[in-house]
Amino acid sequence: LREDLRNTSVCSVDPPGCTDIDDALHYKPLPNGNCQVGVHIADLSYFVRPGTALDLEAQKRGTSVYLCDKRIDMVPEVLSSNLCSLRANEDRLSFSGIWEMTKEGEIVSRRFCKTVISQ
């Protein structure tokens, strides 16, 4: 079951022009004076099943590699730059860490969940 965060204002932390947008954040003031901070990572697990050839190849690569003139993706481009990319104004699946914090930065609570977001 995914938590619906599509009404939460989310912004990417990837640079302008990036097509494989896999990180996003949100900040929301709470009525009790605290704030909620969310970190959202593209959820490839919906598309890449454990033990498949795609999963094994992604494990070997470990990460996408960025060179001066090209990018070597960890997963096929249709996933990294399309289906799993946290693109603006599109519903996207993510795995999220959500913290409630005081003004002083003390963590009051935290949770981790599968979500759907739309930045």
Side-chain angles (χ1 to χ4, degrees):
L1 190 61
R2 288 190 183 268
E3 185 173 335
D4 188 346
L5 297 179
R6 289 176 287 188
N7 289 325
T8 300
S9 182
V10 175
C11 66
S12 170
V13 296
D14 288 299
C18 181
T19 59
D20 59 333
I21 303 166
D22 55 1
D23 310 296
L25 300 171
H26 85 258
Y27 170 89
K28 181 169 38 174
L30 299 174
N32 65 2
N34 291 341
C35 66
Q36 182 183 82
V37 176
V39 176
H40 312 280
I41 307 297
D43 185 3
L44 273 72
S45 71
Y46 182 82
F47 299 97
V48 180
R49 297 294 177 206
T52 61
L54 182 56
D55 179 45
L56 298 174
E57 183 62 27
Q59 287 180 46
K60 280 189 222 172
R61 294 182 182 201
T63 189
S64 295
V65 178
Y66 299 87
L67 304 172
C68 294
D69 59 343
K70 69 177 181 175
R71 180 180 80 216
I72 303 168
D73 291 319
M74 182 177 76
V75 295
E77 187 175 4
V78 69
L79 291 176
S80 66
S81 293
N82 186 355
L83 297 174
C84 297
S85 183
L86 304 177
R87 301 192 301 190
N89 303 314
E90 294 186 33
D91 294 352
R92 293 299 187 203
L93 305 180
S94 59
F95 187 80
S96 303
I98 301 172
W99 294 264
E100 180 178 344
M101 303 172 76
T102 66
K103 291 178 185 176
E104 294 75 29
E106 181 181 326
I107 297 172
V108 174
S109 65
R110 68 174 180 255
R111 60 193 171 91
F112 301 93
C113 50
K114 290 188 173 191
T115 56
V116 58
I117 64 171
S118 181
Q119 17 177 358

